[in-house]
Amino acid sequence: MPMATTPQVSLITGGSRGIGLAIASALVRRGHQVVVGGRNPESLAKARAQLASLGDADRVSAIEVDVRRPESVEALVAATVAKFGGLDVLVNSAGIGRFDAVAEMSPEAWRDVLDTNLSGVFYACRAAIPDLRQRGGGWIINISSLAGSNAFKGGAAYCASKAGLNAFSESLMQEVRSDNIRVSTIAPGSVRTGFSPSAGADDWKLDPDDVAEVVVDLLRHPARSLPSRVEIRPSRPGK
């Protein structure tokens, strides 16, 4: 499809590394004005330098944010709109994992996972929807996981957060599609990011660029269609 005459503005939480950085890189290559948010200042600085090397440095910004805090997320969205004049695409990629048995998991670890993986998405969507409406529509893309549908031992907090994210995204999709805001969930399987607790060779895993390609494909879809959930998994998983 032809590029829009006005560059789209995209905000990616968790955009300083892993899947989020791969998505940000793919969108910069497509000419988007991109803001990445993250908690680690050093990682953010490295990400901005990497993204700036792909195109016009003036189209890239990196902002510190803690998605567990609604006021921090609101400030991130406001800074994005102030810098680039609006918002067209929100990608919620920030996520963490704490992998312990329920009897051994601390309440603090439980809250950290749910606050980051689920509440953080709520805060970002709530903050972004008015600006997406102001632009006449756009995209919200939430990075979930196959763990949201396939629970595993030791993953109660993580699996619960992703199952909740799936349900949240389905409800949100029905609420805002009349505003021309399309909501889609991407649920990857194992991805080579250093995130998974599993050890050993991981050549069989997905690459973060594979997930980024799904995002690019979604944004190409004609306005009449909405792939509301996409599952992507390794084609030949390890044995």
Side-chain angles (χ1 to χ4, degrees), residues 129 132-133 136-140 172-173 176-183 226:
I129 285 170
L132 292 169
R133 284 174 171 159
W139 278 93
I140 296 173
L172 179 63
M173 178 268 292
V176 299
R177 59 183 172 182
S178 60
D179 297 310
N180 198 32
I181 300 172
R182 290 183 281 181
V183 179
L226 172 55

Coordinates of all heavy atoms in Angstrom, one line a residue, residues 129 132-133 136-140 172-173 176-183 226:
I129 N -6.4 6.9 24.0 CA -7.7 6.9 23.2 C -8.1 8.3 22.9 O -8.5 8.5 21.7 CB -8.8 6.1 24.0 CG1 -8.5 4.6 23.9 CG2 -10.1 6.4 23.4 CD1 -9.3 3.7 24.8
L132 N -6.1 9.4 19.9 CA -6.4 8.6 18.7 C -7.7 9.0 18.1 O -7.9 9.1 16.9 CB -6.5 7.1 19.1 CG -5.1 6.5 19.4 CD1 -5.4 5.1 20.0 CD2 -4.2 6.4 18.2
R133 N -8.7 9.3 19.0 CA -10.0 9.8 18.5 C -9.8 11.2 17.8 O -10.4 11.5 16.8 CB -11.0 10.0 19.6 CG -11.6 8.6 20.1 CD -12.4 8.8 21.3 NE -13.1 7.6 21.7 CZ -13.6 7.3 22.9 NH1 -13.4 8.1 23.9 NH2 -14.2 6.1 23.1
G136 N -8.9 10.9 14.3 CA -9.9 10.2 13.5 C -9.7 8.7 13.4 O -10.3 8.1 12.6
G137 N -8.9 8.2 14.4 CA -8.8 6.7 14.4 C -7.3 6.3 14.5 O -6.4 7.2 14.6
G138 N -7.1 5.0 14.5 CA -5.7 4.6 14.6 C -5.7 3.1 15.0 O -6.6 2.4 14.9
W139 N -4.5 2.7 15.6 CA -4.3 1.3 16.0 C -3.8 1.3 17.4 O -3.0 2.1 17.9 CB -3.2 0.7 15.1 CG -3.7 0.1 13.8 CD1 -3.7 0.8 12.6 CD2 -4.2 -1.2 13.6 NE1 -4.2 0.0 11.6 CE2 -4.5 -1.2 12.2 CE3 -4.5 -2.3 14.3 CZ2 -5.0 -2.4 11.6 CZ3 -5.0 -3.4 13.7 CH2 -5.3 -3.5 12.4
I140 N -4.3 0.3 18.2 CA -3.8 -0.2 19.4 C -3.4 -1.6 19.2 O -4.3 -2.4 18.9 CB -4.7 0.0 20.6 CG1 -5.1 1.5 20.8 CG2 -4.2 -0.6 21.9 CD1 -6.2 1.7 21.9
L172 N -11.9 -3.9 24.8 CA -11.6 -2.6 24.3 C -11.9 -2.6 22.8 O -12.3 -1.5 22.3 CB -10.1 -2.4 24.5 CG -9.5 -1.1 24.0 CD1 -10.2 0.1 24.7 CD2 -8.0 -1.0 24.2
M173 N -11.6 -3.6 22.0 CA -11.8 -3.6 20.6 C -13.3 -3.3 20.3 O -13.6 -2.5 19.4 CB -11.4 -5.0 20.0 CG -11.7 -5.2 18.6 SD -13.3 -5.9 18.2 CE -13.1 -7.6 18.9
V176 N -14.1 0.6 21.0 CA -13.6 1.7 20.2 C -13.6 1.6 18.7 O -13.2 2.5 18.0 CB -12.1 2.1 20.7 CG1 -12.1 2.5 22.2 CG2 -11.2 0.9 20.4
R177 N -14.0 0.4 18.2 CA -14.0 0.3 16.8 C -14.9 1.2 16.0 O -14.6 1.6 14.9 CB -14.2 -1.2 16.4 CG -15.6 -1.8 16.8 CD -15.7 -3.2 16.4 NE -16.9 -3.9 17.0 CZ -17.1 -5.2 16.8 NH1 -16.3 -5.9 16.1 NH2 -18.2 -5.7 17.3
S178 N -16.0 1.7 16.7 CA -16.8 2.7 16.1 C -16.1 4.0 16.0 O -16.6 4.9 15.2 CB -18.1 2.8 16.9 OG -17.9 3.2 18.2
D179 N -15.0 4.2 16.7 CA -14.2 5.4 16.5 C -13.1 5.3 15.5 O -12.2 6.1 15.5 CB -13.6 5.8 17.9 CG -14.6 6.1 19.0 OD1 -15.5 6.9 18.7 OD2 -14.5 5.5 20.1
N180 N -13.2 4.2 14.7 CA -12.1 3.9 13.8 C -10.8 3.6 14.4 O -9.7 3.8 13.8 CB -12.0 5.0 12.7 CG -11.2 4.6 11.5 OD1 -11.4 3.5 11.1 ND2 -10.5 5.5 10.9
I181 N -10.8 3.1 15.7 CA -9.6 2.7 16.4 C -9.7 1.1 16.3 O -10.6 0.5 16.9 CB -9.6 3.2 17.8 CG1 -9.6 4.7 17.8 CG2 -8.3 2.6 18.5 CD1 -9.7 5.3 19.2
R182 N -8.7 0.6 15.7 CA -8.6 -0.9 15.6 C -7.7 -1.4 16.7 O -6.6 -0.9 16.8 CB -8.1 -1.3 14.2 CG -9.2 -1.0 13.1 CD -8.8 -1.5 11.8 NE -7.9 -0.6 11.1 CZ -7.3 -0.8 9.9 NH1 -7.7 -1.9 9.2 NH2 -6.5 0.1 9.3
V183 N -8.2 -2.4 17.4 CA -7.4 -3.1 18.5 C -7.1 -4.5 18.1 O -8.0 -5.3 17.7 CB -8.2 -3.1 19.8 CG1 -7.4 -3.7 20.9 CG2 -8.5 -1.6 20.2
L226 N -10.2 -6.1 10.3 CA -9.6 -6.0 11.6 C -9.2 -7.4 12.1 O -10.0 -8.2 12.6 CB -10.6 -5.4 12.7 CG -10.1 -5.5 14.1 CD1 -8.7 -4.8 14.3 CD2 -11.1 -4.8 15.0

